[in-house]
Amino acid sequence: MIPVPPAVVIDRDLLAPFLAAARQEYRDCTPEAPPGCFALLVGTLHDDAAEVLRVEQAENVRAVDDTAEAEFAASIVPCFGAAYANRRRGFWCSSRDLLRIHRAADRDGLEVLGSIHLHPDWHHIGPPAERGLRISQQPTPMDRYMFAHTGYPVNMISYLETPDPTSPPTTAPTEFLAAWSPPPHPDATECAELTIKYRD
């Protein structure tokens, strides 16, 4: 596993396209079609911080990739529940995009540091049967599984929440952002929170 630094350094402007896409996904979602937004973080790794220099959005092929469907059916659904049988749940990065981003990073002397993904306030807006787990910028059990298996040192979560669930649809959600290390081993249940430092 790649060594995990205690902090992440990033420019707010780099996050802007991802956050705009996440807000649009949040606005467009329905209880049957959860929002999903994901990007890879590219940059350099130092002893004291991971410095993010690019935020590369990638295609989610979870709904159309047969390999993804087989993995979710065999490993994810039995561990994390029937909600993950919905092909709109979870993320499976396009192998084409993954290869492209890794090759470009390597060409430029950079590395893929990790990822960022969206958490909505699903305990407010999801179907009643799926409101038991309170969602936040904290990793869910599924996140910890993903973080452990990818081994990336930086795992960011953008959490969007409508302050009052009865607010009009035009109300802007409140945004929270956090970064996490992977668990120290696949069976661990905790991820350490990383400090986020903004260059601007």
Side-chain angles (χ1 to χ4, degrees):
M1 184 177 291
I2 299 171
V4 178
V8 183
V9 178
I10 192 166
D11 190 317
R12 291 179 197 272
D13 289 344
L14 286 178
L15 288 171
F18 170 85
L19 295 175
R23 287 191 292 270
Q24 187 64 52
E25 281 280 320
Y26 182 85
R27 284 192 294 268
D28 292 345
C29 77
T30 68
E32 296 74 33
C37 198
F38 172 92
L40 290 173
L41 307 172
V42 177
T44 56
L45 198 59
H46 310 284
D47 290 340
D48 59 343
E51 184 174 11
V52 178
L53 301 172
R54 298 177 189 164
V55 178
E56 301 273 7
Q57 289 184 253
E59 182 184 5
N60 182 5
V61 296
R62 162 75 177 98
V64 297
D65 187 285
D66 290 338
T67 302
E69 176 62 12
E71 174 70 16
F72 269 74
S75 301
I76 305 303
V77 174
C79 289
F80 303 108
Y84 286 96
N86 180 345
R87 293 186 83 154
R88 287 276 308 192
R89 287 293 290 269
F91 197 94
W92 192 275
C93 185
S94 157
S95 58
R96 182 181 63 253
D97 283 348
L98 194 61
L99 181 61
R100 171 182 58 80
I101 293 166
H102 272 272
R103 281 180 170 171
D106 187 57
R107 181 190 66 228
D108 297 334
L110 305 174
E111 56 188 300
V112 176
L113 300 173
S115 66
I116 180 170
H117 72 277
L118 167 65
H119 274 189
D121 54 341
W122 204 236
H123 50 286
H124 291 150
I125 64 175
E130 295 182 25
R131 294 186 182 183
L133 176 65
R134 182 177 177 84
I135 306 299
S136 70
Q137 64 273 28
Q138 301 271 337
T140 64
M142 174 63 181
D143 290 329
R144 293 193 292 268
Y145 172 91
M146 180 185 75
F147 298 166
H149 284 79
T150 62
Y152 288 135
V154 179
N155 304 276
M156 298 181 79
I157 297 174
S158 170
Y159 172 59
L160 298 181
E161 178 180 75
T162 300
D164 179 355
T166 63
S167 300
T170 54
T171 302
T174 302
E175 297 177 346
F176 302 88
L177 189 65
W180 306 90
S181 70
H185 55 82
D187 297 325
T189 58
E190 296 299 328
C191 300
E193 186 168 4
L194 308 178
T195 300
I196 300 176
K197 298 179 178 180
Y198 294 104
R199 275 193 293 268
D200 54 340

